[in-house]
Amino acid sequence: MAFIKKQAQPSTEQTQSTPETRDCQSLLKQLSSSDSTERRWAARDLVECPECANALMQRLKIETENSVREVILTTLTRMGDPVAIAGMVDCLRSEDAALRNEVVEAMKQLPLEVAPMMLGLLADPDPDVRIFAVNVLESLCHPEVESWLISVITDDAHVNVCATAVDLLGEVGSSNAIQTLEQLKARFSEEPYIQFAADLALRRINEN
Amino acid sequence: MKRILIVDDAATVRMYHRNILESAGYSVDEAMNGIEAIEKALQEAFDLYIVDVNMPKLDGYGFLRELRGENISQVPAIMVSTEAAENDQTAAYRAGANGYLVKPVKPVQLLTHVRLLIGETI
């Protein structure tokens, strides 16, 4: 079990409330404290305990205090290990809209870790997960982003998944996307939004 | 002229809704998330809000709860979402929405809801 050393120059708040050393087991206990400040500090310091990623994920699903949720996600992002990433993906299926959005923003900070999972996410049976996956792509500086988006608008049957992908393709797309965008317009010829978004994307691509 | 605030993180969606609403004679302003929308709602009066569910910083539910709970504005709000399930619609109405539209929204759907909620003739 890892031990976390007290920082060399602790804040006043730390000096008043934290003990000299805090082992992972005691941090885990504090993560369930009724005091949100204790939970927040525990979540922050657990960054030194990668074996506790799953416990952080479980806490994230029930945590109601926004500031604690933010710290848990920051810690998981800093850990960036497979358990943390898998837990974030799991949260994309949550009924809690705020949690889903926070997780999307956190995943955007982990391009290298998230990229290997992207094909799986874009093929997920749940269209909402596929939409969130496209949202994550927005900030994923990865050479495959354009080809992933082209695959989405070619193959995905769900209009809102395609709509989300078209928005992004207008920003990152090249002439490689033109034919697929034209085909998308034909496939959803009765959807005014798709016509609007695809025309906008085509105009932007042609301007660049 | 009636003023409408569109709250959505997707720029293309904001442009699409703006085009429809301005063509119908409404004045439109935009916000990229719930926090920005709250700031705008505190500064000026709108006749209607069109609010996306999934946004960073503060989502649509959070925005409506704040808007209603803090009594910033009680004017009508339409929630717009990719999710058509009944529980999503119930959650929207509980948060303070007066209407619910599933994306992608067709112009006639949007204008019908807007006119109904603003109290104009359809």
Side-chain angles (χ1 to χ4, degrees), chain A residues 95 97-98 100-101 105 128 131-132 135 158-160 164 167 190-194 196-197 200 203-204, chain B residues 10-13 15-16 19 53-57 59 61 81-83 87-88 102-107:
Chain A
E95 291 292 310
R100 291 193 307 255
N101 293 321
E105 294 308 305
D128 289 331
I131 289 171
F132 295 132
N135 286 332
H158 198 287
V159 63
N160 281 320
T164 310
D167 288 348
E190 302 296 314
E191 285 293 352
Y193 180 76
I194 293 288
F196 178 87
L200 187 65
R203 199 158 60 240
R204 284 176 176 162
Chain B
T12 310
V13 175
M15 283 173 68
Y16 174 72
N19 280 1
V53 171
N54 291 309
M55 294 179 288
K57 295 184 183 172
D59 63 74
Y61 298 126
S81 172
T82 55
E83 288 144 33
N87 60 333
D88 293 310
V102 178
K103 290 182 179 179
V105 177
K106 290 189 164 61

mmCIF file of all heavy atoms in Angstrom, chain A residues 95 97-98 100-101 105 128 131-132 135 158-160 164 167 190-194 196-197 200 203-204, chain B residues 10-13 15-16 19 53-57 59 61 81-83 87-88 102-107:
data_model
loop_
_atom_site.group_PDB
_atom_site.id
_atom_site.type_symbol
_atom_site.label_atom_id
_atom_site.label_comp_id
_atom_site.label_asym_id
_atom_site.label_seq_id
_atom_site.Cartn_x
_atom_site.Cartn_y
_atom_site.Cartn_z
ATOM 1 N N GLU A 95 -27.464 8.029 -16.371
ATOM 2 C CA GLU A 95 -28.672 8.837 -16.572
ATOM 3 C C GLU A 95 -28.434 10.294 -16.156
ATOM 4 O O GLU A 95 -29.252 11.163 -16.425
ATOM 5 C CB GLU A 95 -29.820 8.269 -15.721
ATOM 6 C CG GLU A 95 -30.332 6.923 -16.185
ATOM 7 C CD GLU A 95 -31.046 6.998 -17.522
ATOM 8 O OE1 GLU A 95 -31.919 7.852 -17.687
ATOM 9 O OE2 GLU A 95 -30.699 6.204 -18.422
ATOM 10 N N ALA A 97 -27.049 13.650 -16.580
ATOM 11 C CA ALA A 97 -26.508 14.439 -17.699
ATOM 12 C C ALA A 97 -25.245 15.193 -17.298
ATOM 13 O O ALA A 97 -24.284 15.277 -18.075
ATOM 14 C CB ALA A 97 -27.564 15.419 -18.200
ATOM 15 N N ALA A 98 -25.235 15.727 -16.083
ATOM 16 C CA ALA A 98 -24.062 16.497 -15.641
ATOM 17 C C ALA A 98 -22.829 15.598 -15.591
ATOM 18 O O ALA A 98 -21.748 15.981 -16.045
ATOM 19 C CB ALA A 98 -24.338 17.122 -14.280
ATOM 20 N N ARG A 100 -22.305 12.803 -17.274
ATOM 21 C CA ARG A 100 -21.898 12.443 -18.644
ATOM 22 C C ARG A 100 -21.064 13.567 -19.261
ATOM 23 O O ARG A 100 -20.012 13.326 -19.858
ATOM 24 C CB ARG A 100 -23.133 12.213 -19.520
ATOM 25 C CG ARG A 100 -23.941 10.994 -19.177
ATOM 26 C CD ARG A 100 -24.937 10.683 -20.286
ATOM 27 N NE ARG A 100 -25.781 11.804 -20.639
ATOM 28 C CZ ARG A 100 -27.071 11.933 -20.298
ATOM 29 N NH1 ARG A 100 -27.645 10.997 -19.569
ATOM 30 N NH2 ARG A 100 -27.776 12.979 -20.676
ATOM 31 N N ASN A 101 -21.528 14.793 -19.086
ATOM 32 C CA ASN A 101 -20.811 15.916 -19.694
ATOM 33 C C ASN A 101 -19.447 16.132 -19.051
ATOM 34 O O ASN A 101 -18.473 16.449 -19.733
ATOM 35 C CB ASN A 101 -21.652 17.193 -19.579
ATOM 36 C CG ASN A 101 -22.901 17.102 -20.432
ATOM 37 O OD1 ASN A 101 -22.857 16.572 -21.534
ATOM 38 N ND2 ASN A 101 -24.004 17.592 -19.921
ATOM 39 N N GLU A 105 -15.744 15.869 -20.962
ATOM 40 C CA GLU A 105 -14.687 16.882 -20.857
ATOM 41 C C GLU A 105 -13.392 16.263 -20.325
ATOM 42 O O GLU A 105 -12.301 16.608 -20.785
ATOM 43 C CB GLU A 105 -15.141 18.038 -19.952
ATOM 44 C CG GLU A 105 -16.300 18.852 -20.520
ATOM 45 C CD GLU A 105 -16.055 19.355 -21.943
ATOM 46 O OE1 GLU A 105 -15.038 20.021 -22.159
ATOM 47 O OE2 GLU A 105 -16.877 19.055 -22.832
ATOM 48 N N ASP A 128 -26.464 7.119 -27.894
ATOM 49 C CA ASP A 128 -26.004 8.226 -27.036
ATOM 50 C C ASP A 128 -24.511 8.119 -26.753
ATOM 51 O O ASP A 128 -23.800 9.126 -26.732
ATOM 52 C CB ASP A 128 -26.792 8.248 -25.718
ATOM 53 C CG ASP A 128 -28.230 8.688 -25.943
ATOM 54 O OD1 ASP A 128 -28.461 9.462 -26.894
ATOM 55 O OD2 ASP A 128 -29.113 8.251 -25.192
ATOM 56 N N ILE A 131 -22.715 9.273 -29.748
ATOM 57 C CA ILE A 131 -22.704 10.746 -29.826
ATOM 58 C C ILE A 131 -21.640 11.320 -28.884
ATOM 59 O O ILE A 131 -20.864 12.204 -29.266
ATOM 60 C CB ILE A 131 -24.108 11.311 -29.477
ATOM 61 C CG1 ILE A 131 -25.090 10.997 -30.608
ATOM 62 C CG2 ILE A 131 -24.041 12.821 -29.230
ATOM 63 C CD1 ILE A 131 -26.544 11.318 -30.297
ATOM 64 N N PHE A 132 -21.577 10.781 -27.664
ATOM 65 C CA PHE A 132 -20.561 11.276 -26.721
ATOM 66 C C PHE A 132 -19.158 10.982 -27.244
ATOM 67 O O PHE A 132 -18.236 11.789 -27.059
ATOM 68 C CB PHE A 132 -20.764 10.663 -25.339
ATOM 69 C CG PHE A 132 -22.047 11.074 -24.679
ATOM 70 C CD1 PHE A 132 -22.885 10.143 -24.094
ATOM 71 C CD2 PHE A 132 -22.443 12.406 -24.671
ATOM 72 C CE1 PHE A 132 -24.083 10.525 -23.508
ATOM 73 C CE2 PHE A 132 -23.639 12.790 -24.092
ATOM 74 C CZ PHE A 132 -24.465 11.855 -23.504
ATOM 75 N N ASN A 135 -18.304 13.573 -29.564
ATOM 76 C CA ASN A 135 -17.989 14.789 -28.807
ATOM 77 C C ASN A 135 -16.563 14.756 -28.264
ATOM 78 O O ASN A 135 -15.872 15.772 -28.243
ATOM 79 C CB ASN A 135 -18.964 14.960 -27.636
ATOM 80 C CG ASN A 135 -20.339 15.404 -28.083
ATOM 81 O OD1 ASN A 135 -20.477 16.057 -29.118
ATOM 82 N ND2 ASN A 135 -21.362 15.047 -27.342
ATOM 83 N N HIS A 158 -28.027 6.159 -37.298
ATOM 84 C CA HIS A 158 -28.736 7.088 -36.414
ATOM 85 C C HIS A 158 -28.482 8.539 -36.842
ATOM 86 O O HIS A 158 -27.340 8.996 -36.888
ATOM 87 C CB HIS A 158 -28.282 6.876 -34.973
ATOM 88 C CG HIS A 158 -29.225 7.448 -33.966
ATOM 89 N ND1 HIS A 158 -29.340 8.799 -33.759
ATOM 90 C CD2 HIS A 158 -30.121 6.854 -33.136
ATOM 91 C CE1 HIS A 158 -30.250 9.017 -32.818
ATOM 92 N NE2 HIS A 158 -30.749 7.843 -32.435
ATOM 93 N N VAL A 159 -29.550 9.258 -37.104
ATOM 94 C CA VAL A 159 -29.417 10.611 -37.644
ATOM 95 C C VAL A 159 -28.661 11.553 -36.696
ATOM 96 O O VAL A 159 -27.863 12.393 -37.148
ATOM 97 C CB VAL A 159 -30.813 11.188 -38.017
ATOM 98 C CG1 VAL A 159 -31.701 11.337 -36.802
ATOM 99 C CG2 VAL A 159 -30.680 12.525 -38.734
ATOM 100 N N ASN A 160 -28.871 11.399 -35.385
ATOM 101 C CA ASN A 160 -28.197 12.336 -34.466
ATOM 102 C C ASN A 160 -26.705 12.038 -34.292
ATOM 103 O O ASN A 160 -25.931 12.939 -33.989
ATOM 104 C CB ASN A 160 -28.908 12.352 -33.113
ATOM 105 C CG ASN A 160 -30.157 13.210 -33.176
ATOM 106 O OD1 ASN A 160 -30.154 14.267 -33.805
ATOM 107 N ND2 ASN A 160 -31.225 12.739 -32.555
ATOM 108 N N THR A 164 -24.009 14.928 -35.286
ATOM 109 C CA THR A 164 -22.898 15.355 -34.419
ATOM 110 C C THR A 164 -21.575 15.241 -35.169
ATOM 111 O O THR A 164 -20.707 16.116 -35.070
ATOM 112 C CB THR A 164 -22.875 14.492 -33.137
ATOM 113 O OG1 THR A 164 -24.183 14.467 -32.575
ATOM 114 C CG2 THR A 164 -21.908 15.045 -32.116
ATOM 115 N N ASP A 167 -21.065 18.112 -37.760
ATOM 116 C CA ASP A 167 -20.633 19.370 -37.131
ATOM 117 C C ASP A 167 -19.115 19.423 -37.025
ATOM 118 O O ASP A 167 -18.476 20.423 -37.356
ATOM 119 C CB ASP A 167 -21.215 19.481 -35.707
ATOM 120 C CG ASP A 167 -22.707 19.746 -35.734
ATOM 121 O OD1 ASP A 167 -23.228 20.059 -36.808
ATOM 122 O OD2 ASP A 167 -23.333 19.626 -34.671
ATOM 123 N N GLU A 190 -34.639 14.038 -46.244
ATOM 124 C CA GLU A 190 -35.838 14.609 -45.604
ATOM 125 C C GLU A 190 -35.505 15.332 -44.299
ATOM 126 O O GLU A 190 -36.417 15.764 -43.596
ATOM 127 C CB GLU A 190 -36.854 13.500 -45.308
ATOM 128 C CG GLU A 190 -37.304 12.702 -46.523
ATOM 129 C CD GLU A 190 -38.053 13.548 -47.539
ATOM 130 O OE1 GLU A 190 -38.937 14.306 -47.108
ATOM 131 O OE2 GLU A 190 -37.727 13.467 -48.731
ATOM 132 N N GLU A 191 -34.248 15.415 -43.951
ATOM 133 C CA GLU A 191 -33.877 16.040 -42.676
ATOM 134 C C GLU A 191 -33.244 17.405 -42.914
ATOM 135 O O GLU A 191 -32.070 17.500 -43.309
ATOM 136 C CB GLU A 191 -32.876 15.155 -41.905
ATOM 137 C CG GLU A 191 -33.484 13.935 -41.263
ATOM 138 C CD GLU A 191 -34.458 14.288 -40.124
ATOM 139 O OE1 GLU A 191 -34.541 15.466 -39.732
ATOM 140 O OE2 GLU A 191 -35.149 13.377 -39.663
ATOM 141 N N PRO A 192 -33.980 18.476 -42.663
ATOM 142 C CA PRO A 192 -33.436 19.816 -42.927
ATOM 143 C C PRO A 192 -32.131 20.112 -42.173
ATOM 144 O O PRO A 192 -31.253 20.781 -42.704
ATOM 145 C CB PRO A 192 -34.549 20.751 -42.454
ATOM 146 C CG PRO A 192 -35.788 19.928 -42.453
ATOM 147 C CD PRO A 192 -35.367 18.528 -42.181
ATOM 148 N N TYR A 193 -32.020 19.565 -40.935
ATOM 149 C CA TYR A 193 -30.796 19.865 -40.186
ATOM 150 C C TYR A 193 -29.567 19.259 -40.865
ATOM 151 O O TYR A 193 -28.512 19.907 -40.968
ATOM 152 C CB TYR A 193 -30.868 19.376 -38.734
ATOM 153 C CG TYR A 193 -29.589 19.708 -38.006
ATOM 154 C CD1 TYR A 193 -29.341 21.010 -37.579
ATOM 155 C CD2 TYR A 193 -28.587 18.761 -37.832
ATOM 156 C CE1 TYR A 193 -28.138 21.351 -36.980
ATOM 157 C CE2 TYR A 193 -27.380 19.089 -37.233
ATOM 158 C CZ TYR A 193 -27.175 20.385 -36.808
ATOM 159 O OH TYR A 193 -25.973 20.727 -36.228
ATOM 160 N N ILE A 194 -29.707 18.014 -41.328
ATOM 161 C CA ILE A 194 -28.572 17.364 -41.997
ATOM 162 C C ILE A 194 -28.197 18.147 -43.264
ATOM 163 O O ILE A 194 -27.003 18.349 -43.557
ATOM 164 C CB ILE A 194 -28.901 15.892 -42.339
ATOM 165 C CG1 ILE A 194 -29.050 15.060 -41.059
ATOM 166 C CG2 ILE A 194 -27.836 15.284 -43.265
ATOM 167 C CD1 ILE A 194 -27.766 14.774 -40.310
ATOM 168 N N PHE A 196 -28.607 21.328 -43.802
ATOM 169 C CA PHE A 196 -27.966 22.573 -43.366
ATOM 170 C C PHE A 196 -26.524 22.317 -42.909
ATOM 171 O O PHE A 196 -25.588 22.992 -43.348
ATOM 172 C CB PHE A 196 -28.777 23.183 -42.214
ATOM 173 C CG PHE A 196 -28.197 24.437 -41.634
ATOM 174 C CD1 PHE A 196 -28.489 25.682 -42.184
ATOM 175 C CD2 PHE A 196 -27.353 24.384 -40.524
ATOM 176 C CE1 PHE A 196 -27.945 26.844 -41.643
ATOM 177 C CE2 PHE A 196 -26.800 25.533 -39.983
ATOM 178 C CZ PHE A 196 -27.102 26.772 -40.542
ATOM 179 N N ALA A 197 -26.355 21.321 -42.031
ATOM 180 C CA ALA A 197 -25.032 21.061 -41.453
ATOM 181 C C ALA A 197 -24.051 20.540 -42.507
ATOM 182 O O ALA A 197 -22.869 20.929 -42.520
ATOM 183 C CB ALA A 197 -25.164 20.048 -40.310
ATOM 184 N N LEU A 200 -23.015 23.391 -44.755
ATOM 185 C CA LEU A 200 -22.062 24.246 -44.035
ATOM 186 C C LEU A 200 -20.669 23.591 -44.021
ATOM 187 O O LEU A 200 -19.650 24.260 -44.258
ATOM 188 C CB LEU A 200 -22.567 24.468 -42.602
ATOM 189 C CG LEU A 200 -21.801 25.459 -41.751
ATOM 190 C CD1 LEU A 200 -21.914 26.874 -42.307
ATOM 191 C CD2 LEU A 200 -22.328 25.440 -40.308
ATOM 192 N N ARG A 203 -19.122 23.836 -47.428
ATOM 193 C CA ARG A 203 -18.664 25.206 -47.712
ATOM 194 C C ARG A 203 -17.328 25.473 -47.011
ATOM 195 O O ARG A 203 -16.408 26.030 -47.588
ATOM 196 C CB ARG A 203 -19.741 26.196 -47.252
ATOM 197 C CG ARG A 203 -19.618 27.560 -47.871
ATOM 198 C CD ARG A 203 -20.931 28.342 -47.861
ATOM 199 N NE ARG A 203 -21.468 28.569 -46.538
ATOM 200 C CZ ARG A 203 -22.666 28.128 -46.138
ATOM 201 N NH1 ARG A 203 -23.419 27.415 -46.952
ATOM 202 N NH2 ARG A 203 -23.102 28.386 -44.931
ATOM 203 N N ARG A 204 -17.238 25.051 -45.760
ATOM 204 C CA ARG A 204 -15.995 25.276 -45.003
ATOM 205 C C ARG A 204 -14.827 24.509 -45.619
ATOM 206 O O ARG A 204 -13.719 25.024 -45.706
ATOM 207 C CB ARG A 204 -16.192 24.843 -43.548
ATOM 208 C CG ARG A 204 -16.992 25.838 -42.749
ATOM 209 C CD ARG A 204 -17.238 25.334 -41.355
ATOM 210 N NE ARG A 204 -17.924 26.328 -40.551
ATOM 211 C CZ ARG A 204 -18.560 26.048 -39.424
ATOM 212 N NH1 ARG A 204 -18.606 24.810 -38.971
ATOM 213 N NH2 ARG A 204 -19.151 27.010 -38.736
ATOM 214 N N ALA B 10 -23.196 23.368 -29.521
ATOM 215 C CA ALA B 10 -22.858 23.103 -30.926
ATOM 216 C C ALA B 10 -23.159 24.339 -31.783
ATOM 217 O O ALA B 10 -24.320 24.748 -31.925
ATOM 218 C CB ALA B 10 -23.652 21.905 -31.433
ATOM 219 N N ALA B 11 -22.106 24.911 -32.347
ATOM 220 C CA ALA B 11 -22.261 26.155 -33.126
ATOM 221 C C ALA B 11 -23.188 25.957 -34.319
ATOM 222 O O ALA B 11 -23.985 26.843 -34.654
ATOM 223 C CB ALA B 11 -20.888 26.635 -33.594
ATOM 224 N N THR B 12 -23.121 24.782 -34.947
ATOM 225 C CA THR B 12 -23.961 24.540 -36.128
ATOM 226 C C THR B 12 -25.441 24.520 -35.741
ATOM 227 O O THR B 12 -26.292 25.030 -36.468
ATOM 228 C CB THR B 12 -23.572 23.212 -36.808
ATOM 229 O OG1 THR B 12 -22.156 23.194 -36.990
ATOM 230 C CG2 THR B 12 -24.239 23.060 -38.152
ATOM 231 N N VAL B 13 -25.733 23.929 -34.597
ATOM 232 C CA VAL B 13 -27.129 23.886 -34.121
ATOM 233 C C VAL B 13 -27.614 25.312 -33.823
ATOM 234 O O VAL B 13 -28.739 25.680 -34.187
ATOM 235 C CB VAL B 13 -27.246 22.997 -32.853
ATOM 236 C CG1 VAL B 13 -28.660 23.053 -32.290
ATOM 237 C CG2 VAL B 13 -26.872 21.559 -33.168
ATOM 238 N N MET B 15 -26.579 28.056 -35.183
ATOM 239 C CA MET B 15 -26.774 28.746 -36.471
ATOM 240 C C MET B 15 -28.072 28.311 -37.136
ATOM 241 O O MET B 15 -28.812 29.122 -37.690
ATOM 242 C CB MET B 15 -25.611 28.439 -37.422
ATOM 243 C CG MET B 15 -24.343 29.204 -37.108
ATOM 244 S SD MET B 15 -22.986 28.630 -38.143
ATOM 245 C CE MET B 15 -23.516 29.201 -39.729
ATOM 246 N N TYR B 16 -28.336 27.006 -37.083
ATOM 247 C CA TYR B 16 -29.545 26.442 -37.711
ATOM 248 C C TYR B 16 -30.803 27.018 -37.058
ATOM 249 O O TYR B 16 -31.694 27.509 -37.738
ATOM 250 C CB TYR B 16 -29.488 24.916 -37.551
ATOM 251 C CG TYR B 16 -30.718 24.162 -38.003
ATOM 252 C CD1 TYR B 16 -31.028 24.022 -39.352
ATOM 253 C CD2 TYR B 16 -31.561 23.547 -37.071
ATOM 254 C CE1 TYR B 16 -32.149 23.299 -39.759
ATOM 255 C CE2 TYR B 16 -32.675 22.823 -37.465
ATOM 256 C CZ TYR B 16 -32.963 22.705 -38.812
ATOM 257 O OH TYR B 16 -34.069 21.991 -39.212
ATOM 258 N N ASN B 19 -31.186 30.773 -37.865
ATOM 259 C CA ASN B 19 -31.718 31.014 -39.220
ATOM 260 C C ASN B 19 -33.236 30.872 -39.264
ATOM 261 O O ASN B 19 -33.940 31.699 -39.848
ATOM 262 C CB ASN B 19 -31.111 30.026 -40.225
ATOM 263 C CG ASN B 19 -29.727 30.445 -40.668
ATOM 264 O OD1 ASN B 19 -29.213 31.463 -40.214
ATOM 265 N ND2 ASN B 19 -29.111 29.660 -41.523
ATOM 266 N N VAL B 53 -29.748 19.825 -23.881
ATOM 267 C CA VAL B 53 -29.533 19.096 -22.627
ATOM 268 C C VAL B 53 -28.046 18.979 -22.312
ATOM 269 O O VAL B 53 -27.572 19.410 -21.255
ATOM 270 C CB VAL B 53 -30.164 17.678 -22.696
ATOM 271 C CG1 VAL B 53 -29.745 16.846 -21.486
ATOM 272 C CG2 VAL B 53 -31.677 17.779 -22.757
ATOM 273 N N ASN B 54 -27.300 18.387 -23.241
ATOM 274 C CA ASN B 54 -25.897 18.069 -22.959
ATOM 275 C C ASN B 54 -24.969 19.210 -23.342
ATOM 276 O O ASN B 54 -24.775 19.487 -24.531
ATOM 277 C CB ASN B 54 -25.487 16.801 -23.708
ATOM 278 C CG ASN B 54 -26.177 15.581 -23.154
ATOM 279 O OD1 ASN B 54 -26.159 15.336 -21.938
ATOM 280 N ND2 ASN B 54 -26.821 14.822 -24.018
ATOM 281 N N MET B 55 -24.446 19.871 -22.327
ATOM 282 C CA MET B 55 -23.486 20.971 -22.556
ATOM 283 C C MET B 55 -22.425 20.919 -21.464
ATOM 284 O O MET B 55 -22.737 20.536 -20.335
ATOM 285 C CB MET B 55 -24.202 22.324 -22.475
ATOM 286 C CG MET B 55 -25.203 22.577 -23.563
ATOM 287 S SD MET B 55 -26.000 24.183 -23.373
ATOM 288 C CE MET B 55 -27.045 23.910 -21.961
ATOM 289 N N PRO B 56 -21.190 21.348 -21.772
ATOM 290 C CA PRO B 56 -20.173 21.413 -20.724
ATOM 291 C C PRO B 56 -20.469 22.539 -19.731
ATOM 292 O O PRO B 56 -21.275 23.420 -20.030
ATOM 293 C CB PRO B 56 -18.885 21.691 -21.504
ATOM 294 C CG PRO B 56 -19.322 22.319 -22.780
ATOM 295 C CD PRO B 56 -20.686 21.751 -23.073
ATOM 296 N N LYS B 57 -19.824 22.472 -18.595
ATOM 297 C CA LYS B 57 -19.891 23.486 -17.522
ATOM 298 C C LYS B 57 -21.232 23.442 -16.776
ATOM 299 O O LYS B 57 -21.249 23.240 -15.580
ATOM 300 C CB LYS B 57 -19.586 24.887 -18.037
ATOM 301 C CG LYS B 57 -18.155 25.011 -18.536
ATOM 302 C CD LYS B 57 -17.816 26.415 -18.953
ATOM 303 C CE LYS B 57 -16.399 26.444 -19.501
ATOM 304 N NZ LYS B 57 -16.049 27.710 -20.103
ATOM 305 N N ASP B 59 -25.198 21.880 -17.662
ATOM 306 C CA ASP B 59 -26.084 21.297 -18.680
ATOM 307 C C ASP B 59 -27.464 21.964 -18.656
ATOM 308 O O ASP B 59 -27.740 22.827 -17.812
ATOM 309 C CB ASP B 59 -26.189 19.786 -18.483
ATOM 310 C CG ASP B 59 -26.804 19.423 -17.153
ATOM 311 O OD1 ASP B 59 -28.016 19.576 -16.993
ATOM 312 O OD2 ASP B 59 -26.045 19.001 -16.249
ATOM 313 N N TYR B 61 -30.468 20.847 -17.841
ATOM 314 C CA TYR B 61 -31.254 20.675 -16.618
ATOM 315 C C TYR B 61 -30.776 21.652 -15.537
ATOM 316 O O TYR B 61 -31.583 22.293 -14.868
ATOM 317 C CB TYR B 61 -31.108 19.247 -16.068
ATOM 318 C CG TYR B 61 -31.609 18.154 -16.981
ATOM 319 C CD1 TYR B 61 -30.783 17.090 -17.322
ATOM 320 C CD2 TYR B 61 -32.905 18.165 -17.484
ATOM 321 C CE1 TYR B 61 -31.236 16.067 -18.149
ATOM 322 C CE2 TYR B 61 -33.362 17.144 -18.309
ATOM 323 C CZ TYR B 61 -32.518 16.106 -18.641
ATOM 324 O OH TYR B 61 -32.960 15.100 -19.456
ATOM 325 N N SER B 81 -33.266 17.897 -27.276
ATOM 326 C CA SER B 81 -32.373 16.801 -26.907
ATOM 327 C C SER B 81 -32.334 15.736 -27.997
ATOM 328 O O SER B 81 -33.273 15.602 -28.780
ATOM 329 C CB SER B 81 -32.873 16.178 -25.599
ATOM 330 O OG SER B 81 -32.155 15.012 -25.309
ATOM 331 N N THR B 82 -31.254 14.968 -27.997
ATOM 332 C CA THR B 82 -31.190 13.814 -28.906
ATOM 333 C C THR B 82 -31.970 12.641 -28.314
ATOM 334 O O THR B 82 -32.192 11.645 -28.980
ATOM 335 C CB THR B 82 -29.731 13.360 -29.123
ATOM 336 O OG1 THR B 82 -29.146 13.097 -27.853
ATOM 337 C CG2 THR B 82 -28.932 14.410 -29.858
ATOM 338 N N GLU B 83 -32.360 12.757 -27.054
ATOM 339 C CA GLU B 83 -32.987 11.633 -26.357
ATOM 340 C C GLU B 83 -34.508 11.752 -26.364
ATOM 341 O O GLU B 83 -35.054 12.749 -25.911
ATOM 342 C CB GLU B 83 -32.452 11.554 -24.933
ATOM 343 C CG GLU B 83 -31.017 11.053 -24.900
ATOM 344 C CD GLU B 83 -30.184 11.710 -23.835
ATOM 345 O OE1 GLU B 83 -30.735 12.043 -22.789
ATOM 346 O OE2 GLU B 83 -28.974 11.895 -24.073
ATOM 347 N N ASN B 87 -38.597 9.189 -19.865
ATOM 348 C CA ASN B 87 -37.989 9.675 -18.617
ATOM 349 C C ASN B 87 -37.124 10.922 -18.852
ATOM 350 O O ASN B 87 -37.008 11.774 -17.973
ATOM 351 C CB ASN B 87 -37.192 8.569 -17.910
ATOM 352 C CG ASN B 87 -36.068 8.035 -18.752
ATOM 353 O OD1 ASN B 87 -36.128 8.080 -19.978
ATOM 354 N ND2 ASN B 87 -35.033 7.520 -18.114
ATOM 355 N N ASP B 88 -36.547 11.043 -20.059
ATOM 356 C CA ASP B 88 -35.780 12.259 -20.372
ATOM 357 C C ASP B 88 -36.725 13.462 -20.458
ATOM 358 O O ASP B 88 -36.404 14.555 -19.982
ATOM 359 C CB ASP B 88 -35.036 12.104 -21.700
ATOM 360 C CG ASP B 88 -33.945 11.047 -21.611
ATOM 361 O OD1 ASP B 88 -33.149 11.120 -20.673
ATOM 362 O OD2 ASP B 88 -33.925 10.146 -22.456
ATOM 363 N N VAL B 102 -37.267 16.706 -29.865
ATOM 364 C CA VAL B 102 -36.183 15.741 -30.102
ATOM 365 C C VAL B 102 -35.438 16.149 -31.372
ATOM 366 O O VAL B 102 -36.055 16.440 -32.404
ATOM 367 C CB VAL B 102 -36.756 14.310 -30.254
ATOM 368 C CG1 VAL B 102 -35.642 13.310 -30.548
ATOM 369 C CG2 VAL B 102 -37.510 13.903 -28.992
ATOM 370 N N LYS B 103 -34.116 16.198 -31.269
ATOM 371 C CA LYS B 103 -33.279 16.529 -32.428
ATOM 372 C C LYS B 103 -33.297 15.383 -33.440
ATOM 373 O O LYS B 103 -33.433 14.234 -33.020
ATOM 374 C CB LYS B 103 -31.832 16.771 -31.985
ATOM 375 C CG LYS B 103 -31.620 18.042 -31.196
ATOM 376 C CD LYS B 103 -30.130 18.167 -30.859
ATOM 377 C CE LYS B 103 -29.838 19.434 -30.093
ATOM 378 N NZ LYS B 103 -28.414 19.573 -29.730
ATOM 379 N N PRO B 104 -33.105 15.624 -34.709
ATOM 380 C CA PRO B 104 -32.959 16.953 -35.312
ATOM 381 C C PRO B 104 -34.334 17.606 -35.477
ATOM 382 O O PRO B 104 -35.289 16.949 -35.887
ATOM 383 C CB PRO B 104 -32.327 16.640 -36.677
ATOM 384 C CG PRO B 104 -32.729 15.231 -36.989
ATOM 385 C CD PRO B 104 -32.904 14.530 -35.685
ATOM 386 N N VAL B 105 -34.381 18.877 -35.152
ATOM 387 C CA VAL B 105 -35.660 19.593 -35.117
ATOM 388 C C VAL B 105 -35.982 20.130 -36.512
ATOM 389 O O VAL B 105 -35.118 20.705 -37.182
ATOM 390 C CB VAL B 105 -35.561 20.753 -34.107
ATOM 391 C CG1 VAL B 105 -36.841 21.562 -34.113
ATOM 392 C CG2 VAL B 105 -35.274 20.209 -32.715
ATOM 393 N N LYS B 106 -37.214 19.931 -36.920
ATOM 394 C CA LYS B 106 -37.636 20.490 -38.209
ATOM 395 C C LYS B 106 -38.145 21.920 -37.985
ATOM 396 O O LYS B 106 -38.714 22.218 -36.920
ATOM 397 C CB LYS B 106 -38.734 19.623 -38.818
ATOM 398 C CG LYS B 106 -38.206 18.258 -39.280
ATOM 399 C CD LYS B 106 -39.251 17.504 -40.075
ATOM 400 C CE LYS B 106 -38.648 16.346 -40.852
ATOM 401 N NZ LYS B 106 -38.013 15.323 -40.061
ATOM 402 N N PRO B 107 -37.981 22.798 -38.969
ATOM 403 C CA PRO B 107 -38.378 24.209 -38.780
ATOM 404 C C PRO B 107 -39.824 24.367 -38.321
ATOM 405 O O PRO B 107 -40.099 25.164 -37.421
ATOM 406 C CB PRO B 107 -38.157 24.813 -40.173
ATOM 407 C CG PRO B 107 -37.073 23.986 -40.770
ATOM 408 C CD PRO B 107 -37.288 22.601 -40.257
#
